[in-house]
Amino acid sequence: AAREMKRVVRPGGCIAVRDADYSSMLTYPDLPTIQEWRRIYRATCVRNGAQPDAGRFLLPWLMEAGFTRDQVQLSMAVTPYLTAEQVADWGQAWTKRALESDFAKQAVEYGIATWPELEAISQGWDSWSRTADAVFYYVNGEAIAYVE
């Protein structure tokens, strides 16, 4: 994809990309069900041919597409969920997505998870989202590649 973006962007233009690194997703409290969610999510991504830790691969992918390191401005940014509202929103989104999403259907179809495991994960997210001192954060890789 990066090679095609480089091809169609005019000289003087740029390409901006950002992606998460799922291995960096951490919570407090560190619930076993959320650890299992991360394992299942990552395995499902890999089974789908995707890279769950894409954020750390942006620079090599852009260089494979023909950019030099000097043409790429790379940064990493932490995305935190710290307020009660942010924690509730993120946790409740995953409470639902753990059971009602393509991710859930694929994880079961591929034999990576069972419905009872996903139900436990959903309950874990629900419990986490209601914890007064809960936090969640992860790292995003970010890159701007300049076309010469």
Side-chain angles (χ1 to χ4, degrees), residues 8-83:
V8 300
V9 173
R10 292 184 180 139
C14 66
I15 298 165
V17 291
R18 180 179 199 224
D19 212 330
D21 189 321
Y22 271 76
S23 290
S24 73
M25 294 190 171
L26 299 172
T27 61
Y28 179 86
D30 188 20
L31 302 178
T33 51
I34 295 178
Q35 291 175 18
E36 186 64 1
W37 160 81
R38 188 173 48 245
R39 183 196 69 76
I40 291 168
Y41 190 89
R42 294 182 78 251
T44 303
C45 285
V46 169
R47 173 63 171 75
N48 283 331
Q51 173 50 259
D53 300 325
R56 68 179 78 175
F57 291 96
L58 299 180
L59 178 59
W61 288 342
L62 288 165
M63 291 177 74
E64 287 170 14
F67 290 97
T68 66
R69 189 174 189 111
D70 291 341
Q71 290 174 298
V72 179
Q73 178 184 339
L74 182 67
S75 63
M76 301 290 170
V78 174
T79 299
Y81 297 84
L82 304 174
T83 68

Side-chain angles (χ1 to χ4, degrees), residues 125-142:
W125 276 114
D126 184 57
S127 173
W128 175 84
S129 75
R130 299 172 195 282
T131 303
D133 58 353
V135 297
F136 182 92
Y137 59 94
Y138 61 94
V139 175
N140 282 299
E142 303 171 331

Side-chain angles (χ1 to χ4, degrees), residues 36-48 94 97-119 121:
E36 186 64 1
W37 160 81
R38 188 173 48 245
R39 183 196 69 76
I40 291 168
Y41 190 89
R42 294 182 78 251
T44 303
C45 285
V46 169
R47 173 63 171 75
N48 283 331
W94 274 106
R97 289 178 69 191
L99 298 172
E100 302 173 16
S101 65
D102 287 340
F103 151 72
K105 293 174 197 166
Q106 291 168 350
V108 171
E109 178 185 324
Y110 301 157
I112 296 168
T114 64
W115 285 113
E117 288 171 322
L118 294 177
E119 289 169 0
I121 288 168

